Amino acid sequence: MWSFEGDYRRKPQQRLGGASKTKNLERSELLNQLKSDREERERQRRREAAALTIQSWTRAMLSRKRTKQDLRQQFDSKLALAKVRGISDASAIKLVALLIRIFNAKEDCERLLMTCQLVVREQRQLAEWICGSLQRWMYLVPRLSNMALKVVTHSTDEESPVPHAPPLRLLEIIMAPDNWSTKLSDANQQLFLSTLYLHLINGGYYQQMVHLLVTRIPEVYESTEAPPTPLAESLLNLLMKPLTFACAVNDSTLLSCVIEELCQDVFGGAAHSQICNFVIPCLASSSKYKLPMDRIVAVLGCRSLKFLDSCPAPSLLYSLLMLVHSSAGLMHQGSNTDSTSDDSDIGNTSSDEFNDANTLCNYLQAISDLLGGTTSYLISDVTEGDSEDEDDDSMDSSKPVDPVLCKLAEECVSVVNSTEHVGWLLSQVERQVSPEVLLHFSRLTHHLLTAPSLQLHQCRLLYSVVARRQLLRSMWMVLSSLQQGAPLPGNISTMTSSFGVRGAPLLQVLARGSPLAPYERDTLVPLLATFCATLTAVLSTLHDSELLGDQDETGGRRNSKVSQNQLPFTVEELVKMSASLRDVCVGLVELAHPDMRMSAITDTSYKTMWAHCFKVCVGVVRQIHLRDTRRMFCPEGHWLSSRVSLPLGNCQTAPFVPRTSRRQRRLFMPQRWLTRDELETEGPPLSITEQRRATILQELPFVIPFESRTQVFSTLVASNRSMSQMRADFNEGPMISVSIRRTHIYEDAFEKLSPSNEPNLRLRMRVRLMNAVGLDEVGIDGGGIFREFLSELLKTAFDPTRGFFLLTRENTLYPNPGAHHIAEDYQTHYYFIGRMLGKALYENLLVEVPLAGYFVSKLLGRSSSSVEFHHLDSLDPELCRNLLYLKTYQGDVQDLGLDFTVLNSDLGQNTIEELIPNGSNIAVTNENRIEYIYRMADYKLNKQIAKQSQAFKKGVADVVPLEWLQMFDWRELQMLISGASVPIDLEDLMDNTRYGGTYNAEHPTIQAFWQVLRGFDETQKRQLLKFVTSCSHPPLLGFKVRCNINDNFFYQGFTIFLSSKISKYFMTNFLTLNPLRVRPIVLRHELSSLR
């Protein structure tokens, strides 16, 4: 066949098999055959080499076996001869040397035991032998002892375990040279014991002793210092022999080796009941064993992370805490958290070992590292509705969890958080305060704050720092002094950062959104998080008068001097600090949403650390900003950030605003790819800039001007309303039509506008009002009747006489804690009232409903457990004064006879509720009074009205998404509801008023109308505004155009029409949007008579 590839010649077929006619091989077949022949020859060579190796090993093994068999026969003959005639020094040396040479744990077990018995029987002569041939016996005795321990520990799996008495008795004899009949010199005795202990420690001495304790001692179910068996006492003494000797001779090499193995094998085995309930209590309380706690703490501080690879963290931490408690004199001072011992007394009982700053730093570092590993064994009982990233950082459910270790971890956290330990630790930190000590202390507090089983208000260490507020000032000074690239306190690393300029403060680096080097992160983040959490706790229990002084009648500060006992910062320092923390929060937002370049260096393993730091930083900035909204001690524009802006040029869409239908990107995590279903349902993902803006609007909205946020909110509401009420202007599409009796406006609305009847309250609503006799009132609802209906409905619903809301001392409204006595389904009523208020916000209707500040804060979706102590002054002034008195009480608080309970009186019935579990049995003391104040304020401001607030919040969110409301603080949200409490700008009203009929701006009647209005005082202007718009407050953005949506302009000003049919009244309201019908007049004094 012809080839179409250009090769038209036929290639000759080469036969490499020669001219043989019997078999002709192709080239490929020949090559394969040659290859297989070579491989077969190679396999043959390997078989021959393997056979030689096996034969050589077999001959050697048989030779060794014969040799050992001969040696065993020699050993047996010499041993039998020694039993009959006794033993000499030379024969003993040869006997032990033969045993070391032939020893096999399975075959020579009996020979070893008989040798041990022989040596123990000749213990008097053994002392002479060692003194006469010290060098030989220094080699033989350690190896004989090590072999004896191996035989005892490795035989527990057999049916008949090896007797432990001869080997342990041998150890007791050779470890006590002071009891020998023939004494060694001090130098030789130290050399002999040092060699013995080093060999035993390197051979796993402590691991073998722990194995004997666990397998030969029965379970110990309760903590005891009495040995459960004689063997337990003997093993405990053997455990402590090396440590006691190393401390006595001050051999640093041996002591470090002993302590390291002791921590890893003994302290790390505290999960066993024999160690936890017998060994540790004996070491902690017995005066017989003086533990070198400074060296133990130093070893744990340097190598705690190394130990975690081989032993569980809860065991090490529990052992350390028990020993330190004993050394500091904290044992048996009280196990309950309601101990009444004074912190200063606790600090004075500490030993001299912790008077060294290095020892304290080592202890803090050890306990913080171990606590970090211990918290992974804790099971969180907190179920937060706003928990994010359910699939992140969660404990692997497939990994088996030891219940003993979980229980031990809970006990460790309880001990660390106990009154005794916290008081002693803080007294030590105060006495030896330094940047290094504060750094390690902040790491410990940070681990407690991030522990899953503890909430913020349960961290006693944090609230004890609140009482020692000079530590707070020291923390801020250290934070401000940390510089990039400079040596950091508590860190031996000399690395320099790869980012930024050397010498820049770390807070400024973080405020720029620049990443930190690992050692800078590990230094700054725990200290910053601890400082912010502590400052939040301090501010939450401070009244405004304590922080800023008393307020005079003009709103100024009558006494601006802040007591150093209340807050260790002046107002000016607090203002500067808030500006720095505000910038840090903005920088953390940029780190939380890194761009593509920064995503490559984002370490997701530290997500929890960064997320907690961001949470507490935002919390303290909100706290200071909240104080500023009440007392305005910061300069104007202080909270605005130049690094954050909103693109308001096109206000038709605001894609950066959080939406409930969109899955939010996780903080401090690189951007992930969306699936096809997510792209179809949620749309394209937000850009990095939009995600940062969304986070800012959710967490730190006050860094953006209020007018910009209000414009965004108005745009969102108007856009959503135009979609929901698209064809309502033409009486098409879904619409809500209700008939309401004016005399029963709340009851009818509650029934007809319930979720079962009207599930979608965003639709256009038309209302028909009926008079007292049941007849429809004249008029067609063009918006005015609905506005009047909604205004009267909310006025009736919030009326204190109805009982669902009560008045504070400042005449603001909050939910009635006893609403369950008014209606069984009281939560349904609060849900309905919330929906109606949400409808007013949705329809841009201002209603004069003055809500309490702390109640409005709950509508913003912030933490439901936030406490503002200042609000107690308006809610319960007497309780607030009593708590302030308790806070500054100079005597013993326990003399006041308080406990963690509260007395409630509902309809004449008194009930007692506990603020914490078992609160009736826990007295309020000088140490826990801050916690008592916090919990009392939390109960009054949160827990009493939790169900009412939650139902009200859900009702508002049914109409207006909470994500939109979270752009405002409580005062700004009150302005959204009721309007701005500012004077009415008459010029703005004139510029934004439209005229109907023959009226225009130059008409004489209009000129007279405005002339008379200029003569009105503020009260009369508000009365006119309320007559027209149902609210006496002007709109937030003034009477100007709010936004332009689909070429339809929405005005907030008046619309004045000509009225020729009305002769009795000069002005009448109309049933449409902000109208005013004015009858033409001639004389100005006729119009001025309206005043």
Side-chain angles (χ1 to χ4, degrees):
M1 225 178 142
W2 290 99
S3 173
F4 294 94
E5 299 176 356
D7 189 5
Y8 57 90
R9 287 189 175 184
R10 182 179 179 184
K11 294 182 179 180
Q13 295 183 357
Q14 298 180 356
R15 299 184 181 275
L16 302 180
S20 175
K21 298 181 179 180
T22 59
K23 187 177 181 181
N24 293 326
L25 296 177
E26 297 290 341
R27 176 186 179 89
S28 60
E29 295 177 357
L30 178 63
L31 293 178
N32 291 335
Q33 183 177 354
L34 293 175
K35 180 180 179 182
S36 62
D37 294 341
R38 287 195 303 270
E39 291 176 351
E40 181 61 29
R41 290 193 296 271
E42 180 65 23
R43 284 194 294 269
Q44 183 63 27
R45 284 194 295 269
R46 289 180 179 179
R47 284 194 292 268
E48 293 175 357
L52 291 175
T53 303
I54 293 173
Q55 293 173 5
S56 174
W57 180 87
T58 304
R59 287 192 298 270
M61 187 269 295
L62 293 175
S63 176
R64 286 193 300 269
K65 189 174 181 179
R66 286 191 297 268
T67 302
K68 283 193 175 184
Q69 191 66 27
D70 295 341
L71 293 175
R72 284 190 176 93
Q73 292 177 0
Q74 296 180 23
F75 178 86
D76 293 339
S77 62
K78 291 181 179 295
L79 183 62
L81 187 63
K83 289 181 180 181
V84 176
R85 299 182 180 180
I87 189 170
S88 63
D89 183 14
S91 61
I93 292 176
K94 191 168 184 180
L95 191 66
V96 176
L98 280 174
L99 181 61
I100 294 174
R101 184 176 180 184
I102 67 174
F103 177 72
N104 182 275
K106 292 183 178 180
E107 297 183 13
D108 303 313
C109 179
E110 292 296 331
R111 294 182 178 88
L112 179 63
L113 291 177
M114 287 188 291
T115 304
C116 291
Q117 291 174 355
L118 182 62
V119 173
V120 170
R121 187 180 65 185
E122 304 293 340
Q123 56 178 312
R124 182 180 296 273
Q125 296 183 14
L126 177 64
E128 298 176 357
W129 299 340
I130 294 176
C131 294
S133 303
L134 180 62
Q135 294 297 328
R136 292 184 177 182
W137 286 103
M138 280 176 55
Y139 175 84
L140 297 176
V141 170
R143 286 158 180 79
L144 179 63
S145 304
N146 194 17
M147 290 188 302
L149 284 178
K150 286 182 179 179
V151 167
V152 176
T153 55
H154 292 169
S155 64
T156 56
D157 296 334
E158 300 178 2
E159 296 182 359
S160 57
V162 175
H164 55 264
L168 296 183
R169 181 57 184 159
L170 173 65
L171 286 176
E172 289 178 347
I173 293 173
I174 63 177
M175 288 183 178
D178 293 335
N179 299 330
W180 294 352
S181 58
T182 304
K183 304 292 185 180
L184 288 170
S185 63
D186 294 340
N188 289 336
Q189 179 177 334
Q190 180 177 345
L191 179 62
F192 173 76
L193 291 179
S194 298
T195 305
L196 172 65
Y197 290 141
L198 277 175
H199 184 83
L200 290 177
I201 295 299
N202 293 331
Y205 174 73
Y206 280 113
Q207 186 177 2
Q208 293 164 347
M209 298 304 294
V210 170
H211 191 273
L212 287 176
L213 275 168
V214 174
T215 56
R216 301 298 177 96
I217 305 299
E219 294 282 345
V220 182
Y221 297 103
E222 294 182 357
S223 179
T224 179
E225 300 172 20
T229 61
L231 177 60
E233 183 178 10
S234 177
L235 291 175
L236 179 62
N237 292 329
L238 291 175
L239 272 176
M240 297 307 299
K241 287 284 187 180
L243 183 61
T244 304
F245 171 77
C247 293
V249 300
N250 198 19
D251 188 344
S252 59
T253 303
L254 177 61
L255 185 59
S256 299
C257 183
V258 169
I259 291 178
E260 183 175 349
E261 296 298 321
L262 181 71
C263 293
Q264 183 170 353
D265 296 327
V266 180
F267 298 159
H272 302 293
S273 63
Q274 295 88 344
I275 305 294
C276 179
N277 294 331
F278 168 63
V279 175
I280 299 300
C282 288
L283 298 182
S285 59
S286 177
S287 59
K288 180 179 178 181
Y289 309 111
K290 180 62 177 177
L291 298 178
M293 289 307 303
D294 54 342
R295 298 297 299 268
I296 293 177
V297 168
V299 170
L300 285 175
C302 298
R303 304 183 182 181
S304 57
L305 296 179
K306 175 185 175 182
F307 292 151
L308 295 181
D309 297 335
S310 57
C311 55
S315 301
L316 270 175
L317 181 58
Y318 178 81
S319 303
L320 176 62
L321 290 174
M322 293 299 102
L323 297 177
V324 169
H325 271 214
S326 173
S327 177
L330 302 179
M331 280 302 224
H332 306 300
Q333 289 190 9
S335 58
N336 296 330
T337 58
D338 57 329
S339 175
T340 59
S341 58
D342 190 15
D343 291 350
S344 59
D345 296 337
I346 293 175
N348 294 333
T349 62
S350 61
S351 65
D352 295 335
E353 294 172 332
F354 287 92
N355 289 335
D356 181 18
N358 291 331
T359 304
L360 182 60
C361 287
N362 289 330
Y363 173 68
L364 290 172
Q365 181 175 357
I367 200 173
S368 61
D369 291 341
L370 294 176
L371 190 63
T374 301
T375 53
S376 62
Y377 291 87
L378 297 174
I379 301 176
S380 176
D381 296 331
V382 182
T383 57
E384 298 182 0
D386 58 346
S387 62
E388 51 194 48
D389 311 337
E390 294 84 354
D391 51 347
D392 306 344
D393 304 330
S394 58
M395 205 170 187
D396 188 2
S397 58
S398 61
K399 181 180 179 180
V401 179
D402 189 353
V404 176
L405 291 178
C406 293
K407 184 178 180 180
L408 209 59
E410 294 177 359
E411 179 68 18
C412 290
V413 175
S414 176
V415 173
V416 172
N417 203 36
S418 64
T419 304
E420 296 82 11
H421 182 264
V422 168
W424 169 79
L425 187 61
L426 287 178
S427 64
Q428 296 293 329
V429 172
E430 277 188 319
R431 188 158 46 235
Q432 306 173 42
V433 62
S434 65
E436 292 79 8
V437 171
L438 288 177
L439 173 62
H440 293 298
F441 174 76
S442 66
R443 287 175 177 169
L444 171 60
T445 310
H446 182 258
H447 283 304
L448 281 174
L449 292 174
T450 55
S453 65
L454 284 179
Q455 298 184 39
L456 179 62
H457 63 274
Q458 295 175 328
C459 184
R460 183 168 287 104
L461 185 61
L462 178 68
Y463 282 97
S464 298
V465 177
V466 171
R468 293 171 167 86
R469 291 170 183 167
Q470 289 305 318
L471 287 179
L472 194 64
R473 186 176 187 87
S474 301
M475 288 183 190
W476 179 249
M477 293 176 62
V478 175
L479 271 175
S480 304
S481 64
L482 296 179
Q483 293 185 349
Q484 190 177 41
L488 300 177
N491 198 314
I492 61 175
S493 175
T494 58
M495 295 173 55
T496 56
S497 176
S498 302
F499 307 94
V501 182
R502 179 181 175 87
L506 288 184
L507 287 179
Q508 292 185 10
V509 176
L510 198 59
R512 294 197 299 262
S514 302
L516 301 177
Y519 74 100
E520 293 173 341
R521 174 201 61 213
D522 296 338
T523 301
L524 177 66
V525 172
L527 187 59
L528 178 61
T530 301
F531 171 79
C532 292
T534 307
L535 183 58
T536 301
V538 171
L539 293 175
S540 64
T541 56
L542 278 182
H543 193 270
D544 281 353
S545 60
E546 296 178 294
L547 178 64
L548 303 168
D550 297 330
Q551 193 173 20
D552 56 19
E553 293 78 4
T554 61
R557 291 199 301 268
R558 186 162 51 227
N559 180 18
S560 60
K561 184 177 179 181
V562 181
S563 174
Q564 293 297 321
N565 293 327
Q566 302 300 328
L567 188 69
F569 304 105
T570 63
V571 177
E572 291 74 16
E573 291 174 335
L574 191 62
V575 171
K576 294 180 180 179
M577 183 191 307
S578 63
S580 179
L581 293 177
R582 175 207 62 201
D583 295 337
V584 167
C585 291
V586 175
L588 286 174
V589 171
E590 297 183 7
L591 286 178
H593 301 286
D595 54 20
M596 299 305 296
R597 295 176 301 170
M598 302 307 300
S599 297
I601 61 175
T602 301
D603 191 352
T604 58
S605 61
Y606 290 89
K607 169 189 171 296
T608 304
M609 173 188 287
W610 283 112
H612 177 264
C613 181
F614 178 70
K615 177 182 178 181
V616 294
C617 287
V618 169
V620 72
V621 172
R622 285 179 188 162
Q623 185 78 256
I624 301 175
H625 173 261
L626 194 60
R627 300 279 179 159
D628 185 53
T629 59
R630 293 196 297 262
R631 298 295 295 269
M632 300 181 183
F633 56 89
C634 295
E636 185 177 357
H638 170 77
W639 296 104
L640 302 181
S641 175
S642 59
R643 300 183 60 193
V644 181
S645 61
L646 297 180
L648 299 177
N650 179 15
C651 60
Q652 293 197 14
T653 58
F656 48 84
V657 177
R659 286 176 280 176
T660 55
S661 60
R662 181 185 295 273
R663 177 184 174 91
Q664 296 299 315
R665 177 178 166 186
R666 299 168 295 179
L667 298 180
F668 301 99
M669 294 290 286
Q671 192 171 11
R672 67 178 184 86
W673 297 101
L674 298 180
T675 63
R676 179 184 296 272
D677 294 338
E678 290 175 338
L679 287 173
E680 293 177 353
T681 56
E682 301 176 3
L686 298 180
S687 65
I688 299 300
T689 304
E690 291 172 345
Q691 295 226 10
R692 290 174 178 174
R693 287 170 179 161
T695 305
I696 289 289
L697 285 173
Q698 274 191 314
E699 305 293 342
L700 299 165
F702 42 82
V703 302
I704 301 174
F706 174 60
E707 293 77 10
S708 300
R709 286 178 280 129
T710 305
Q711 185 174 351
V712 171
F713 176 77
S714 301
T715 302
L716 293 171
V717 171
S719 177
N720 188 277
R721 188 173 59 243
S722 65
M723 295 296 297
S724 300
Q725 305 174 6
M726 183 178 300
R727 310 186 67 180
D729 293 335
F730 304 97
N731 293 327
E732 297 181 3
M735 185 181 302
I736 301 175
S737 298
V738 291
S739 297
I740 305 295
R741 293 175 296 175
R742 187 178 288 274
T743 55
H744 298 77
I745 189 169
Y746 180 83
E747 290 77 7
D748 290 353
F750 179 75
E751 177 186 355
K752 297 182 179 181
L753 296 179
S754 62
S756 58
N757 294 328
E758 297 296 341
N760 185 8
L761 214 57
R762 297 182 182 181
L763 301 177
R764 173 71 63 87
M765 183 182 297
R766 296 191 183 277
V767 180
R768 229 173 12 171
L769 294 177
M770 294 184 293
N771 56 24
V773 297
L775 299 178
D776 293 342
E777 295 183 357
V778 179
I780 300 176
D781 188 5
I785 295 180
F786 164 70
R787 186 174 63 245
E788 179 187 3
F789 155 74
L790 194 55
S791 178
E792 291 297 324
L793 173 61
L794 290 174
K795 180 179 179 181
T796 304
F798 286 96
D799 189 354
T801 59
R802 182 168 289 273
F804 290 116
F805 288 86
L806 300 178
L807 285 174
T808 65
R809 191 182 66 171
E810 299 172 351
N811 289 327
T812 56
L813 298 165
Y814 70 97
N816 183 4
H820 57 280
H821 296 298
I822 300 175
E824 294 182 358
D825 58 341
Y826 66 98
Q827 297 186 49
T828 307
H829 286 270
Y830 283 104
Y831 180 81
F832 166 73
I833 298 174
R835 290 185 84 201
M836 292 300 103
L837 184 62
K839 181 66 173 177
L841 288 170
Y842 191 76
E843 298 291 346
N844 289 334
L845 173 62
L846 300 179
V847 291
E848 297 187 41
V849 178
L851 300 178
Y854 71 94
F855 175 60
V856 178
S857 299
K858 298 180 183 301
L859 305 182
L860 300 177
R862 306 303 182 193
S863 176
S864 59
S865 60
S866 60
V867 175
E868 278 297 317
F869 182 70
H870 172 81
H871 291 300
L872 273 181
D873 194 14
S874 61
L875 179 64
D876 194 337
E878 183 179 359
L879 176 63
C880 184
R881 287 194 300 269
N882 292 337
L883 292 179
L884 288 175
Y885 172 78
L886 173 66
K887 187 177 180 182
T888 58
Y889 186 67
Q890 299 297 326
D892 190 356
V893 175
Q894 196 169 3
D895 295 339
L896 301 178
L898 299 175
D899 54 24
F900 281 81
T901 59
V902 60
L903 177 63
N904 289 328
S905 180
D906 291 333
L907 301 179
Q909 295 182 354
N910 295 332
T911 58
I912 296 179
E913 295 191 22
E914 294 183 339
L915 299 176
I916 59 176
N918 197 30
S920 58
N921 297 324
I922 300 179
V924 179
T925 64
N926 292 344
E927 291 75 42
N928 59 20
R929 57 179 167 183
I930 297 297
E931 182 182 1
Y932 173 78
I933 294 173
Y934 180 93
R935 292 185 181 275
M936 181 63 76
D938 178 58
Y939 178 81
K940 289 291 184 179
L941 298 175
N942 292 323
K943 292 184 178 179
Q944 271 194 324
I945 59 173
K947 294 182 179 180
Q948 295 90 322
S949 300
Q950 189 67 18
F952 190 90
K953 176 181 173 181
K954 289 181 179 179
V956 175
D958 184 66
V959 184
V960 181
L962 291 178
E963 290 80 6
W964 300 354
L965 299 180
Q966 287 174 349
M967 295 188 295
F968 307 96
D969 59 35
W970 70 273
R971 187 180 293 274
E972 295 167 345
L973 182 57
Q974 182 65 57
M975 293 172 62
L976 283 178
I977 295 172
S978 302
S981 299
V982 296
I984 298 176
D985 188 353
L986 194 59
E987 297 299 327
D988 185 27
L989 178 60
M990 292 173 59
D991 295 339
N992 293 282
T993 297
R994 294 182 299 175
Y995 304 98
T998 60
Y999 283 154
N1000 54 51
E1002 304 299 330
H1003 195 280
T1005 300
I1006 300 301
Q1007 294 289 335
F1009 175 77
W1010 293 120
Q1011 186 66 27
V1012 171
L1013 257 63
R1014 290 189 182 96
F1016 279 12
D1017 56 21
E1018 188 64 27
T1019 302
Q1020 292 171 328
K1021 292 178 183 178
R1022 291 187 180 278
Q1023 290 175 349
L1024 176 62
L1025 187 62
K1026 186 173 183 179
F1027 173 75
V1028 179
T1029 65
S1030 300
C1031 184
S1032 61
H1033 294 162
L1036 296 179
L1037 299 180
F1039 301 98
K1040 60 184 177 181
V1041 177
R1042 277 207 163 183
C1043 57
N1044 181 358
I1045 301 177
N1046 298 330
D1047 296 330
N1048 292 323
F1049 291 89
F1050 294 87
Y1051 290 86
Q1052 295 293 319
F1054 292 170
T1055 301
I1056 302 180
F1057 292 92
L1058 174 64
S1059 177
S1060 59
K1061 297 182 180 180
I1062 302 176
S1063 59
K1064 183 177 180 180
Y1065 302 104
F1066 292 106
M1067 295 183 297
T1068 58
N1069 196 353
F1070 193 58
L1071 306 178
T1072 184
L1073 187 61
N1074 296 352
L1076 184 65
R1077 302 190 67 177
V1078 179
R1079 177 170 60 85
I1081 56 176
V1082 178
L1083 299 177
R1084 184 184 304 169
H1085 67 83
E1086 186 178 6
L1087 183 61
S1088 62
S1089 62
L1090 292 172
R1091 300 175 56 180

